[in-house]
Amino acid sequence: MKAWIVEKQKPIEEEPLKLVDLPIPEPGDKEIRVRVTHCGICRTDLHIAEGDIPLSKKPVIPGHEIVGVVDALGKNAKRFKIGDRVGISWLNYACGKCKYCKRGEENYCPHIKRTGYDVDGGFAEYVLVHEDFAFDLRNISLPSEELAPMMCPGITGHYAFRLSEIREGERLGMLGFGPTAYYILHVAKSMGMEVYISTRSEEHRRIAEKYGADWVGNIAHQDFPRKVDAFIFFPTAGKLVERALENTTPAATLVLGAVTMSPIVIENYTANLWGRKIKTVYQVRRDYGREFLEIANRLELGIEKEIIRFEEVPEAMIRLKRGEIRGMVQVIKIGEI
Ligand SMILES: [Zn+2]
Ligand SMILES: [Zn+2]
């Protein structure tokens, strides 16, 4: 099969991704083999290629926003039939037995495996996954090219949204408007929430307004019109955290979505931190993923995207790095549905 691998991490312009021909993998006992039709490109893939994150496996096939068709079954894989449509996200495996898995927080499992990082991912014609960790897309009517980006920004965004503890009719603020915030905006508006978005990008400002944001501006220079009940924060600039908190009520929850962050300094504890909860998004969970896919299906959610040919992946990732993509996301079309 054709696959893009990363063996030696380096800047994306120096071609860390190599196109290779590999044997088609055989599914283990409870695994399924998926013939990949679509795979979204995530900023995390860029970090893996460039070395911002050390490699966990070498070489590795990146890609964790996978949609495809079940193509072969392991000896004891019973959940799906050949030809069923499934999705695969970042969460490739959790043990199901540890204290975190038992209390429903599988994202903290010490035995976690991540797609396109600890195990090979979807920048390839075929991929393997334990049957329990594939999303069942048989009752979802959305097109596969829409479902692929939902496998990371969609379900991660919904996890952040749920962590925020926001309720119907309340007010949500977000700083940074990428695809994750885009999906959150849709879900929040469908629940009657007021949503304020801070972004520097003109293109993102246009898209946020088009899809119903109640206020779009830049909190580096101006306050939200009113204080919010929950705040989801995406940048890695820790110095903006107190600015975000200044725009929240004391009962609010602040959710940080970043994997890295520059130092966070809170100067005025009583005014800006007292009472609030701060949480972080750590990996992903299947329960919120399933919930999001049902909501997305009901809302017939779609996103502005670039469709990328398999051979174009390195060039597409250069444009991702430069912030030159058209729309919100990039999806590689790998096989026929
Ligand atoms: Zn991702
Ligand atoms: Zn576990």
Side-chain angles (χ1 to χ4, degrees), residues 6-11 16 47-55 117:
V6 175
E7 182 138 41
K8 192 168 180 314
Q9 296 171 302
K10 48 190 165 180
H47 294 318
I48 290 168
E50 294 203 307
D52 305 319
I53 308 171
L55 287 183
Y117 186 60

Side-chain angles (χ1 to χ4, degrees), residues 41-45 64-65 90 151-153 156:
I41 303 178
C42 179
R43 196 160 284 275
T44 301
D45 299 317
H64 56 269
E65 302 178 4
W90 178 246
M151 288 297 141
C152 184
T156 307

